[in-house]
Amino acid sequence: MARLKLRTMTLWESEDSTGTVSLGKLFEYAEKIDGVSHIDLDRLAFLTCRGGWPKAVLKKSEKAALAQAFNYYDSVVSNDIKRVDDVDRDEELTKRIMRSYARNQASQATAGTILADIKANGDKQMSENTVYDYIKALKEIFVIEDSVAWNPNLRSKTAIRTSDTRYFIDPSIATAALGLGPKDLINDMETFGLFFETLAVRDLRVYAEALDGKVYHYRDKNKLECDAVVHLRNGSYGLIEIKIGGTELIKDGAASLRTLADKIDTTKMKKPSFLMVLTGIGDYAYKRPEDGVLVVPIGCLKN
């Protein structure tokens, strides 16, 4: 029996985004942009931990909303992972692997890296084959959805890293696996940034799918990165760096996007439709005059 793919709600669907910037319209015209967001750092931390679970969105209290991700996590480790292929997988092993996956969100960690992380945190007996088996099962029940590498035509020969980027289908699974709440994220901004990236990719995937597109990532041997490449079926694409916010992070993201855009061989493929730094916080969407890069808070984005 085919399994229905689990999908949680985007910020636009949960009415947490104003929807004043349309991703689809940016592919048509990105010369002018105007949008407003009402998400501050505290709200972003809550939304990351709450996730897009429909039951959580409907809850009136924040405590009840946050509980939904923990309920889902408990269901995965105690029941769902055993039902996928009738293998009686161990609950504690499932928890350890999901915790390690959470610690490696938004990275290109290999199964060996995840195994080493698990061993460093107390389990010395697990094998790499076991890690592969559990990750495969989590993918089949749509708990995990990694991002595959984008392979553009470049002017110069550059070795492109093809490892997948690790993501849960919703950031709240990662926070639940590690037992974190909104205040924990605010107290650890580095971790918060990685989990926000998972939230951003979640929303971008849904918006891209509505446009007949997919989301990829890019990384080369020189560590030049692009967190998300939204590539449409007609060959159009946009390059996106994901940052929580702040002048320096936005500046770094914009510089990275311009460097990658300049490497693309536009005699063999289209120019990017837009370059965007997608932020977690920020009141307005705007276009940087110095380089033409768009800065768009996720709280104003829709498909």
Side-chain angles (χ1 to χ4, degrees):
M1 180 184 295
R3 295 180 178 85
L4 293 175
K5 183 176 180 180
L6 175 67
R7 185 172 78 74
T8 56
M9 299 169 72
T10 65
L11 295 184
W12 166 238
E13 291 170 314
S14 64
E15 299 184 353
D16 292 293
S17 168
T18 61
T20 46
V21 175
S22 165
L23 184 67
K25 288 184 179 179
L26 292 181
F27 279 99
E28 300 171 6
Y29 183 76
E31 291 305 309
K32 186 178 180 181
I33 189 170
D34 186 24
V36 60
S37 171
H38 304 304
I39 296 175
D40 61 15
L41 192 64
D42 287 337
R43 182 64 179 173
L44 184 66
F46 169 73
L47 294 173
T48 301
C49 294
R50 183 202 69 184
W53 311 104
K55 287 184 179 180
V57 172
L58 294 173
K59 295 294 182 182
K60 292 184 179 180
S61 77
E62 289 193 357
K63 182 178 179 181
L66 292 171
Q68 295 302 308
F70 286 93
N71 292 342
Y72 175 73
Y73 170 72
D74 290 340
S75 177
V76 168
V77 301
S78 62
N79 295 304
D80 297 354
I81 198 167
K82 300 174 184 178
R83 293 175 180 173
V84 60
D85 50 12
D86 296 322
V87 174
D88 188 21
R89 293 184 176 84
D90 184 86
E91 290 185 29
E92 286 305 314
L93 289 184
T94 304
K95 289 178 181 178
R96 290 181 189 130
I97 288 173
M98 290 183 70
R99 284 197 293 266
S100 180
Y101 221 89
R103 286 190 289 266
N104 285 283
Q105 282 293 279
S107 77
Q108 286 84 45
T110 64
T113 299
I114 293 172
L115 175 62
D117 177 67
I118 293 168
K119 288 184 174 181
N121 283 278
D123 192 324
K124 306 297 183 183
Q125 305 302 317
M126 190 179 294
S127 70
E128 194 165 317
N129 285 338
T130 301
V131 174
Y132 273 119
D133 174 72
Y134 277 67
I135 289 175
K136 182 173 181 273
L138 291 168
K139 287 181 178 180
E140 289 184 7
I141 58 175
F142 304 113
V143 175
I144 284 171
E145 187 176 6
D146 294 336
S147 179
V148 300
W150 185 58
N151 193 357
N153 289 305
L154 302 177
R155 289 195 178 92
S156 58
K157 291 183 179 180
T158 301
I160 297 172
R161 304 303 188 198
T162 58
S163 299
D164 293 351
T165 300
R166 306 297 189 181
Y167 294 114
F168 285 115
I169 57 100
D170 192 279
S172 64
I173 303 174
T175 58
L178 295 176
L180 303 178
K183 290 183 179 178
D184 298 307
L185 295 186
I186 291 174
N187 290 331
D188 184 352
M189 291 300 295
E190 183 176 355
T191 297
F192 191 176
L194 298 176
F195 290 175
F196 167 63
E197 184 175 323
T198 301
L199 185 154
V201 169
R202 177 200 70 188
D203 283 13
L204 287 171
R205 281 172 167 160
V206 177
Y207 301 151
E209 185 177 335
L211 303 171
D212 285 329
K214 293 185 178 180
V215 177
Y216 302 89
H217 78 271
Y218 176 87
R219 182 181 172 91
D220 63 29
K221 68 176 183 180
N222 299 316
K223 297 185 179 181
L224 177 62
E225 295 182 285
C226 183
D227 295 323
V229 181
V230 178
H231 199 122
L232 306 188
R233 192 174 295 176
N234 65 7
S236 299
Y237 62 95
L239 305 179
I240 302 173
E241 272 286 278
I242 299 168
K243 306 290 184 184
I244 275 194
T247 302
E248 288 304 313
L249 288 176
I250 290 171
K251 181 180 176 181
D252 291 345
S256 181
L257 291 169
R258 286 257 53 114
T259 300
L260 176 56
D262 290 343
K263 285 188 172 185
I264 293 170
D265 188 346
T266 54
T267 65
K268 296 182 178 179
M269 62 187 299
K270 295 180 179 181
K271 293 181 180 179
S273 298
F274 59 85
L275 309 179
M276 178 200 297
V277 179
L278 182 61
T279 66
I281 56 175
D283 296 328
Y284 304 103
Y286 61 94
K287 185 174 183 178
R288 285 166 50 94
E290 60 268 45
D291 53 25
V293 174
L294 309 179
V295 179
V296 179
I298 197 166
C300 62
L301 194 64
K302 68 174 183 178
N303 56 273

